[in-house]
Amino acid sequence: MHKMFMSDIPSTDHGYFASLSPLYQIVEGIQLVRKSQQTENIKFENRLSMETLVPHWRAQAKNTAIMSMHSMAFRNIPLTEKSRIFKSLWQNIYRFERIQMSTEIFGEECVNEKKLAISCERAIQLDSLFFDIEGVAQNKLNVTLQDYKTFAQRCVEEVAKPLAKLKLSIEEVAYLILNFVMHNEESIIGDSLEICDAFRDRVANCLHEYYQKNNITNYAQRISKMMSIINAMKRIHYDDLGGTFVANARNAMEIEEISKVEETKVEIVDDDDEDEEIIVD
């Protein structure tokens, strides 16, 4: 992420990008990371392992950084502050973007059949999902899986369901992603908060102009519903019912290894004359 934040992607010298409003700059970022999005040919992969998940998370973190760098306000924040903000928010942004994309690809099936597009190439069906993590006992995996399904079910009910009803435009998606990046008092402080507040006002004006241009007049209630989705996503993010499954899996693996070591470290061999302690390193 450090390399991404130090880069000039997208180039602000490019006439077209520089001419765009803040809202449409983020639209450009979303379209860029969705360029290879599969729809009819998306592959369902319900077996998830650390070998598949870790590269997947890295790719999604990069995509989220690309989207964030399409915001000039975010780009103008100092590097150390930018990295700190991104570290605390990227999962939230990624989850929201993927859930919204899932409603576009699968429609009602996203909610009714719990189909989620976790990347441009892969999707999962929640009820068929299982973890295959080497070195972790099945009973521990079952607990971890249940934790993850509880988290994902909340995403479906509290986020995907209202998103499917609203059928957001790409401009509205950009507006909500900008709200994730720029409206977070817990992560953004000091001068950066002032920069982000001023930028959010500009973006709100851009959205107002979008509605006027498209002859959408009574949009106050729509924006209220959109912000309710943002708040729901933030609650899920802070509860982090899904994110803890990685830590749980790692802890389970460590406990499993410790148990094996303890079983073999000290063996008591019953001899005719004495008990001999054998240390196995």
Side-chain angles (χ1 to χ4, degrees):
M1 295 307 100
H2 181 81
K3 289 180 181 178
M4 182 64 62
F5 294 151
M6 291 291 289
S7 72
D8 193 31
I9 301 174
S11 174
T12 53
D13 296 330
H14 192 284
Y16 173 68
F17 182 79
S19 70
L20 296 174
S21 71
L23 185 66
Y24 280 95
Q25 287 177 342
I26 289 292
V27 167
E28 281 286 302
I30 296 170
Q31 290 174 335
L32 179 62
V33 300
R34 289 180 172 182
K35 192 174 181 179
S36 61
Q37 179 65 58
Q38 300 293 312
T39 53
E40 291 88 354
N41 298 323
I42 196 165
K43 179 183 177 184
F44 280 85
E45 189 169 331
N46 293 315
R47 172 190 172 274
L48 297 181
S49 65
M50 295 304 286
E51 289 74 18
T52 58
L53 285 170
V54 172
H56 160 73
W57 284 324
R58 285 176 178 159
Q60 296 309 316
K62 181 179 179 181
N63 283 344
T64 305
I66 290 171
M67 283 192 292
S68 300
M69 287 293 283
H70 279 70
S71 160
M72 294 307 298
F74 184 78
R75 287 176 71 125
N76 292 333
I77 294 172
L79 179 62
T80 53
E81 185 75 356
K82 191 182 299 172
S83 299
R84 185 186 62 79
I85 293 169
F86 182 82
K87 189 175 180 180
S88 66
L89 294 178
W90 81 266
Q91 287 179 315
N92 207 359
I93 299 166
Y94 149 68
R95 289 166 179 168
F96 171 78
E97 188 275 328
R98 287 289 87 198
I99 293 168
Q100 191 278 327
M101 189 74 252
S102 300
T103 63
E104 284 193 28
I105 296 172
F106 303 119
E108 292 183 358
E109 290 181 4
C110 173
V111 177
N112 298 334
E113 300 182 27
K114 302 171 190 174
K115 292 181 177 180
L116 298 170
I118 62 172
S119 72
C120 288
E121 301 82 20
R122 291 187 176 93
I124 60 173
Q125 189 162 14
L126 192 57
D127 290 338
S128 302
L129 187 67
F130 68 96
F131 291 144
D132 183 10
I133 301 176
E134 186 177 351
V136 181
Q138 190 59 49
N139 63 323
K140 294 184 177 70
L141 278 182
N142 290 340
V143 173
T144 300
L145 179 61
Q146 190 54 51
D147 286 345
Y148 182 77
K149 284 187 174 182
T150 300
F151 154 77
Q153 182 63 42
R154 284 188 65 188
C155 287
V156 169
E157 287 296 323
E158 299 176 35
V159 181
K161 196 171 184 177
L163 279 176
K165 291 178 180 178
L166 282 174
K167 293 182 171 56
L168 300 184
S169 67
I170 189 76
E171 289 85 359
E172 290 171 324
V173 174
Y175 175 75
L176 292 184
I177 287 176
L178 279 168
N179 267 276
F180 275 124
V181 177
M182 300 299 165
H183 186 58
N184 198 291
E185 291 83 355
E186 295 85 355
S187 301
I188 303 174
I189 56 177
D191 293 339
S192 298
L193 184 60
E194 293 183 12
I195 293 171
C196 292
D197 282 345
F199 186 76
R200 281 194 301 113
D201 290 341
R202 289 182 62 198
V203 172
N205 289 334
C206 291
L207 185 67
H208 174 70
E209 291 173 5
Y210 159 75
Y211 285 136
Q212 284 189 323
K213 185 178 178 181
N214 289 274
N215 297 317
I216 303 171
T217 53
N218 298 319
Y219 54 82
Q221 188 177 13
R222 184 173 180 83
I223 292 178
S224 177
K225 290 178 180 178
M226 287 161 54
M227 297 312 296
S228 294
I229 295 171
I230 288 280
N231 292 332
M233 192 74 246
K234 285 183 177 180
R235 284 195 301 271
I236 295 170
H237 176 68
Y238 291 135
D239 290 345
D240 202 24
L241 296 177
T244 54
F245 92 90
V246 178
N248 290 344
R250 285 177 178 159
N251 290 338
M253 290 172 71
E254 290 172 4
I255 292 169
E256 201 79 9
E257 287 300 313
I258 291 170
S259 298
K260 290 177 182 177
V261 170
E262 290 299 324
E263 288 175 2
T264 59
K265 190 174 182 181
V266 179
E267 294 181 357
I268 305 301
V269 178
D270 188 9
D271 206 323
D272 291 337
D273 299 322
E274 61 179 348
D275 290 341
E276 181 183 359
E277 185 178 63
I278 301 176
I279 307 298
V280 180
D281 292 327

